[in-house]
């Protein structure tokens, strides 16, 4: 009898989701779907607001990566004003984004993901979390927490608060870096660099024992999307878009964000509020692509700083062409932390950062604007349409987790296929499916603009809708 | 002009005939919470924040529009007044869409400041969530009706300081709203002189400089008083 296994919700991801695993009559996994069932509708209630307010409203979508929305929104605003922002403002925005990536990646790795592979997959959930990690390896856990603080400190020094700084605005930023702030950030660098290094070395050790995970946690061909610089270097805020395929070939390059509609389509899935974007020329679902740390390292040719570049080289050897296992998102995240720390160091020496020329002023010169920035979880698009006074008429956000939607479904199916046999729901599978999702560090409040949490429960549902079996895990 | 003697919060105070309780209190160093009151323009008693108790009168009366009288005994702070003031603030918050966290006036808003000061920690009434527009048709200024508390300061400065008479009130009750001219978009107003006095007068984030982002609206109200003093007393004291 065909049945459905429902994991509801997945814990330790930001937001709320549940998973259905569809089995065929033989009891084999036929398909899987990761549902996002909450809806907050930011896109709707921003209609009618002046576009200048959106950099302060849209970051409220998420408490984890508000800076990403802030920056993408400010960039969309720059486009509506049709201005090139002062160079200092661009550098300061970059500095903040680097801080954001570090803090979010540190949270993902140390708080959310490491407990699984450091404490053991089948450790009971009450102990398989950051508190368990603190008990088992206090130094590592503390260093991880401090690494996150470093990222947050950059955000705070620039924006005045850790969460929701209303600092980037259409046309630039509101305040410069101070001498004091610069010294504060600089003082962190050695420790941040060292922690990133320790974590990376540790992960490489872990990886040796996780050949199976690397093989089955989302290892499949797909396209990859990310920003790259003019020479194909790693980008996080400027640059243009590049798609590569799983052989590592560039299939589209230096694409302008403003024409994203030409190459990104958005499928709406019936069972989820998460939209599923795909690469238009290949259609849905063949145009499935991944974004985020793994994708950014796949699409770039180099990073541009020595330590990160050395790591990138070793990393690229893990794939033939592209690195295709989503388990290696963790690896990519750690390399990106190293890259960010190095870039912060270089940026801090730039005298422009203390400049007072920070904000371009202009009216409404274009009725449409697209802002794109690399959020920690992947490429983030803000697309606004305004009337001639600058009031938002239509808004569309394309979020990292949404773009990884199709890949997450495949990842779940792939893992389930290895663990589900017959009528059983092995605990081992639940733990691993959850982690498969966690590889993407999905931020569900962003991608559906949703929030909420419920106890985890798994249901076996027959095709006629009757619940065959139910397991609740609290 | 005859002076009147009265008691405010147990303090003997003397005030000129025709002075309001608010003026007398402020001369005596007693501050009352106010919202619609604005130095330089006449009072209308719209917000009721300044309500006081007067011995012998069961009604609470607004200090800003009640004149002093001989032997008056005024109480400006009491449990009952506190309750009413809090209630008024809660009603103001419930009536329109005040979202401080993303408001241009965050941190510089008189409504927000009063709410903090009066200890308003929640709103007991259902929010109305009305649908109001933002008018940013004017090249320099914007008006967000969501944040308007209908204090009419802007109307009064427009009529009585600038003399243009652009700002007006239309509608009744919950539908009342500030309009420009005969309900035109602000940018199409024939009478607006672009002086910006209304923006300076607004206690909330309802009127703002175009392009202002969160917390950026700080207002310089001293200019309004400066003009009034200059006009009435022929003294130009910046
Ligand atoms: S716009 Fe401002 S000044 Fe005018 S009535 Fe509303 S709150 Fe008062
Ligand atoms: S200040 Fe007296 S009623 Fe508003």
């Amino acid at each position: 009898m065909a049945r459905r296994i429902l994991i509801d919700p997945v814990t330790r991801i930001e937001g709320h989701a549940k998973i259905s695993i569809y089995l065929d009559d033989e009891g084999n996994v036929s398909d899987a779907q990761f549902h996002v069932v909450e809806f907050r509708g930011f896109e709707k209630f921003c209609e009618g607001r002046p576009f200048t307010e959106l950099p302060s409203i849209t970051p409220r979508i998420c408490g984890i990566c508000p800076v990403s929305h802030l920056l993408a929104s400010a960039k969309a605003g720059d486009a509506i004003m049709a201005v090139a922002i002062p160079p200092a403002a661009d550098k300061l925005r970059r500095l903040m984004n680097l801080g954001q990536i570090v803090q979010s990646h540190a949270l993902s790795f140390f708080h959310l993901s490491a407990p699984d592979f450091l404490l053991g997959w089948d450790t009971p959930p009450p102990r398989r979390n950051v508190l368990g990690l603190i008990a088992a390896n206090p130094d590592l856990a503390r260093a991880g927490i401090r690494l996150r603080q470093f990222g947050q400190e950059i955000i705070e020094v620039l924006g005045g608060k850790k969460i929701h700084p209303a600092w980037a605005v259409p046309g630039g930023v509101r305040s410069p870096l101070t001498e004091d702030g610069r010294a504060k950030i600089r003082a962190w660098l050695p420790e941040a660099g060292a922690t990133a290094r320790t974590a990376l070395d540790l992960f490489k050790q872990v990886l040796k024992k996780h050949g199976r995970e690397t093989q089955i946690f989302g290892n499949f061909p797909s396209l990859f999307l990310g920003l790259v610089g003019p020479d194909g270097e790693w980008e996080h805020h400027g640059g243009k878009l590049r798609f590569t395929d799983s052989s590592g070939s560039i299939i589209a390059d230096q694409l302008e964000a403003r024409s994203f509609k030409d190459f990104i389509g958005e499928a709406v899935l019936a069972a989820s509020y998460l939209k599923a974007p795909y690469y238009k020329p290949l259609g849905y679902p063949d145009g499935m692509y991944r974004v985020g740390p793994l994708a950014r390292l796949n699409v770039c040719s180099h990073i541009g700083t020595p330590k990160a570049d050395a790591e990138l080289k070793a990393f690229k050897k893990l794939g033939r062409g592209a690195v295709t296992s989503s388990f290696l998102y963790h690896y990519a995240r750690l390399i990106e932390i190293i890259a960010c720390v190095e870039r912060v160091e270089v940026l801090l020496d730039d005298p422009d950062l203390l400049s007072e020329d920070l904000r371009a002023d202009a009216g409404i010169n274009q009725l449409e604007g697209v802002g794109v920035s690399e959020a920690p979880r992947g490429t983030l698009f803000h697309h606004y349409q305004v009337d001639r006074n600058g009031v938002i008429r239509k808004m569309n956000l394309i979020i990292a987790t949404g773009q990884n939607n199709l890949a997450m479904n495949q990842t779940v199916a792939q893992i389930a296929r290895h663990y589900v046999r017959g009528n059983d729901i092995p605990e081992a599978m639940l733990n691993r499916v959850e982690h498969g999702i966690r590889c993407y560090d999905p931020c569900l409040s962003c991608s559906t603009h949703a929030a909420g949490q419920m106890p985890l429960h798994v249901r076996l549902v027959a095709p006629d809708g009757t619940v065959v079996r139910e397991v609740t895990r609290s | 002009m005859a002076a009147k003697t009265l008691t405010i919060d147990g303090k003997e105070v003397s005030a000129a005939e025709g002075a309001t309780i608010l003026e007398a209190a402020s001369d005596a160093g007693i501050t009352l919470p106010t919202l619609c009151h604005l130095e330089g323009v006449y009072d209308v008693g719209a917000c009721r924040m300044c309500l006081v108790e007067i011995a012998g009168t069961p009604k609470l009366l607004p200090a800003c529009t009640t004149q002093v009288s001989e032997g008056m005994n005024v109480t400006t702070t009491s449990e009952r007044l506190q309750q009413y003031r809090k209630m008024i603030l809660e009603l103001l918050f419930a009536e329109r869409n005040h979202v401080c966290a993303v408001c241009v006036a965050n941190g510089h808003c008189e409504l927000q400041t009063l709410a903090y000061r009066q200890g308003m920690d929640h709103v007991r009434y259902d929010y109305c969530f009305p649908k109001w527009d933002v008018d940013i048709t004017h090249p320099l200024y914007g008006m967000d009706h969501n944040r308007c508390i209908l204090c009419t300061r802007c109307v009064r400065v427009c009529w009585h300081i600038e003399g243009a008479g652009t700002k007006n009130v239309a509608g009744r009750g919950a539908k009342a709203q500030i309009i420009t001219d005969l309900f035109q978009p602000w940018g199409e107003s024939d009478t607006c002189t672009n002086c910006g006095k209304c923006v300076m007068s607004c206690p909330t984030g309802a009127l703002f400089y175009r392009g202002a982002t969160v917390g950026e609206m700080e207002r310089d109200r001293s200019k309004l008083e400066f003009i009034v003093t200059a006009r009435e007393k022929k003294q130009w004291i910046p």
Side-chain angles (χ1 to χ4, degrees), chain A residues 48-50 52-53 56-57 60 166 169-170 174 359 364 388-391, chain B residues 101-102 104 134 136-137 144 146-147 188 208 210-216:
Chain A
R49 301 307 310 170
T52 43
E53 281 185 2
S56 46
I57 298 177
R60 307 274 156 185
V169 291
R174 275 165 53 163
R359 198 162 169 179
I364 315 302
R388 64 189 170 80
N389 298 309
V391 173
Chain B
V102 298
V104 290
V134 185
I136 44 172
T137 54
D144 186 348
N146 292 288
R147 304 175 185 143
E188 288 166 27
F208 54 89
R210 256 185 80 153
T213 57
V214 183
E216 279 191 309

